[in-house]
Amino acid sequence: MNADLHCHSCHSDGVLSPATLAARAAANGVELWSLTDHDNLGGLDEAREHARALGMRFVDGVEISVTWHGTTIHVVGLGIDPRHAPLDQGLASVRSGRDARALRMAEALEALGVRDAYANAMRHAGNPSLVGRSHFARVLVEQGYAPDVHAVFRDYLVRGRPGYIEHQWTALEQAVAWIRGAGGVAVIAHPGRYRISGELLLRLLADFREAGGRAIEVVSGSHGEAEVRHFARLARDFGFYASRASDFHAPDESPIDLGRGAALPAGVEPVWHAPALGSLVSTPA
Ligand code: AMP
Ligand code: MN
Ligand code: MN
Ligand code: MN
């Protein structure tokens, strides 16, 4: 099964429309797809409609920003009902902090010489409730501060660098509760990307399981081969389902394209076998 259960459209910090993403996923051979914009469900209707027309299975998804013990963690929800009011309203509350953070980021970046940082980031984001670090990263590339967005993050936009602004997202338990309340499966996104010790990561996975989380991304655009093996082992140890995800954002930015990651290793249970997902995976028309 070529599944790709995590990517972004222009309804968060991706650059393509849901329709363009759907066409790209289908062209790349994706059979089961999910759109998982950051804290936003606004692209799902378009994505679902185009996925069906192209003969792909589709599950509604989201990627929720969480703060856990001072670290930003991303929790993907798969198979959620986008009309579930507590989820929809909860995500609105998560989004509501983005604009104020963006104004502070812009101030910090303008102090370094970046021109019209806020207006330029908003040109990329289109909406103050969706603006994020990726939109600022594209501005810094345009103005020659770094050769690509990856270098911008490393030099400017991560903790300890001058353009980084601390932010409090929602709680881990809250994000999982919204996802489960909406009938979905909660998945820890790209576990290899968090800059925390191995010991703390085990605590995160234990807290997540305790809260009702059921899966982790094993194959991710952020994971190398060794990480895929490591997280496959952890998925088995914790009894988590395994997800497969490109985390695609843009043709020129993302390390792997839609549907082009490695296959899940043998010995893990794919997340699309989760009962909550099986009944919701909408079949092509
Ligand atoms: P935000 O939610 O606004 O703090 O932005 C988080 C987003 O920044 C992630 O979803 C990624 O798209 C992007 N990002 C974070 N770290 C990096 C990195 N090192 N290189 C490229 N993009 C990154
Ligand atoms: Mn992103
Ligand atoms: Mn993420
Ligand atoms: Mn993502």
Side-chain angles (χ1 to χ4, degrees), residues 23 96 122 132 157 206 232 235 263 276:
S96 70
M122 215 52 81
L157 298 182

Side-chain angles (χ1 to χ4, degrees), residues 6-8 13 36 38 63 74 76 189-190 193 247-249:
H6 179 164
C7 70
H8 298 272
D13 60 357
T36 56
H38 295 288
E63 181 175 23
H74 286 171
V76 164
H190 42 65
R193 216 170 74 196
D247 202 2
F248 180 81
H249 283 71

Side-chain angles (χ1 to χ4, degrees), residues 37-61:
D37 277 311
H38 295 288
D39 312 310
N40 189 18
L41 308 173
L44 292 175
D45 287 346
E46 182 181 326
R48 192 186 317 108
E49 182 190 318
H50 285 260
R52 281 182 179 157
L54 290 158
M56 286 185 292
R57 293 167 187 265
F58 182 80
V59 289
D60 289 305

Side-chain angles (χ1 to χ4, degrees), residues 2-4 24-33 55-56 258-260:
N2 187 340
D4 191 339
R24 191 178 182 102
N28 286 358
V30 172
E31 296 161 282
L32 171 61
W33 182 46
M56 286 185 292
L258 291 164
R260 291 279 163 80

Side-chain angles (χ1 to χ4, degrees), residues 13-285:
D13 60 357
V15 302
L16 303 179
S17 67
T20 307
L21 278 174
R24 191 178 182 102
N28 286 358
V30 172
E31 296 161 282
L32 171 61
W33 182 46
S34 184
L35 176 66
T36 56
D37 277 311
H38 295 288
D39 312 310
N40 189 18
L41 308 173
L44 292 175
D45 287 346
E46 182 181 326
R48 192 186 317 108
E49 182 190 318
H50 285 260
R52 281 182 179 157
L54 290 158
M56 286 185 292
R57 293 167 187 265
F58 182 80
V59 289
D60 289 305
V62 67
E63 181 175 23
I64 305 182
S65 310
V66 158
T67 301
W68 178 84
H69 292 271
T71 298
T72 298
I73 303 294
H74 286 171
V75 178
V76 164
L78 296 175
I80 43 129
D81 174 2
R83 289 153 310 188
H84 186 69
L87 172 67
D88 193 40
Q89 289 159 14
L91 294 176
S93 75
V94 178
R95 289 195 302 273
S96 70
R98 284 190 174 271
D99 194 35
R101 182 186 66 151
L103 287 165
R104 295 181 58 204
M105 283 178 65
E107 205 177 320
L109 292 170
E110 283 172 9
L112 300 171
V114 178
R115 295 181 309 279
D116 296 325
Y118 181 81
N120 279 310
M122 215 52 81
R123 173 169 52 82
H124 287 288
N127 181 328
S129 79
L130 301 180
V131 65
R133 286 184 289 163
S134 301
H135 304 112
F136 283 97
R138 291 172 191 141
V139 174
L140 267 68
V141 173
E142 284 167 357
Q143 296 191 19
Y145 283 85
D148 55 52
V149 296
H150 194 75
V152 176
F153 271 91
R154 186 194 61 212
D155 296 341
Y156 295 94
L157 298 182
V158 294
R159 189 178 273 166
R161 307 307 298 182
Y164 184 75
I165 300 294
E166 289 291 338
H167 190 74
Q168 188 74 28
W169 302 104
T170 196
L172 180 68
E173 294 75 13
Q174 181 65 82
V176 174
W178 285 331
I179 292 166
R180 297 183 80 204
V185 179
V187 187
I188 293 280
H190 42 65
R193 216 170 74 196
Y194 307 119
R195 293 181 172 175
I196 56 178
S197 68
E199 196 184 333
L200 210 52
L201 184 77
L202 296 180
R203 273 185 58 197
L204 167 66
L205 296 181
D207 282 5
F208 177 67
R209 188 172 58 185
E210 178 75 22
R214 301 296 312 277
I216 63 172
E217 288 180 356
V218 168
V219 170
S220 158
S222 304
H223 291 169
E225 281 174 42
E227 284 167 316
V228 171
R229 284 194 299 274
H230 178 62
F231 291 112
R233 201 175 317 117
L234 284 181
R236 282 197 300 271
D237 291 351
F238 278 82
F240 286 135
Y241 290 104
S243 190
R244 178 172 186 262
S246 64
D247 202 2
F248 180 81
H249 283 71
D252 305 329
E253 292 177 13
S254 295
I256 58 173
D257 207 328
L258 291 164
R260 291 279 163 80
L264 282 178
V268 297
E269 197 62 44
V271 68
W272 51 93
H273 291 175
L277 220 66
S279 61
L280 283 169
V281 174
S282 51
T283 42

